[in-house]
Amino acid sequence: LLMGTVFLGVGIYVLLSKGDTHDRLGKMLPAGLSPTLVMLAMVISVPPVCGLIGAIAGILYNVAEGSAPDAGLGSPNLVFTAVVLGLVALVALMWLLLARRKPGAVAFTVLTAFAALFGWFLPLLASWR
């Protein structure tokens, strides 16, 4: 849920930093579907989706903890943290290759938050008993 909060905060920043987002979104949507409704649906759906991603990451952490419980990189489970960092690196590489513009501070913020929350914070909370 914390990742959902970060994602919504960054999303709101992106929407407010570009004044014509509402107009451009209105032109792309089919008739009868307003940009306000789409944005409201995103605000309502992002936290549960990120919570579901967190639950899946927790299940994967339990599997990784059982099969490779070694600590490393400041995390209780080196394998899980390395996999999360690899996933973040893969997404960053895909973004660099596919995006028309270079990712800026917004992409860096989201990817860093994802790596920190799922790579280190989740294992530390799971081992904190």
Side-chain angles (χ1 to χ4, degrees):
L1 291 175
L2 188 57
M3 186 66 207
T5 304
V6 169
F7 191 78
L8 278 177
V10 169
I12 289 169
Y13 169 75
V14 167
L15 290 175
L16 291 179
S17 67
K18 299 181 181 193
D20 64 338
T21 303
H22 191 274
D23 296 331
R24 286 188 298 137
L25 187 58
K27 292 176 185 174
M28 291 189 302
L29 292 174
L33 191 59
S34 72
T36 304
L37 185 62
V38 171
M39 290 181 203
L40 181 64
M42 286 179 61
V43 166
I44 291 171
S45 64
V46 164
V49 167
C50 286
L52 181 63
I53 291 170
I56 292 168
I59 292 168
L60 293 175
Y61 176 75
N62 280 337
V63 170
E65 186 179 37
S67 63
D70 296 333
L73 294 175
S75 170
N77 192 305
L78 174 66
V79 172
F80 182 79
T81 301
V83 167
V84 169
L85 292 177
L87 179 66
V88 168
L90 181 67
V91 168
L93 181 66
M94 286 176 27
W95 194 327
L96 281 172
L97 294 175
L98 298 176
R100 292 182 205 150
R101 296 178 293 137
K102 291 189 177 194
V106 173
F108 180 75
T109 301
V110 171
L111 291 174
T112 302
F114 186 87
L117 289 174
F118 289 109
W120 282 283
F121 197 60
L122 184 129
L124 288 173
L125 281 179
S127 65
W128 182 48
R129 297 178 186 157

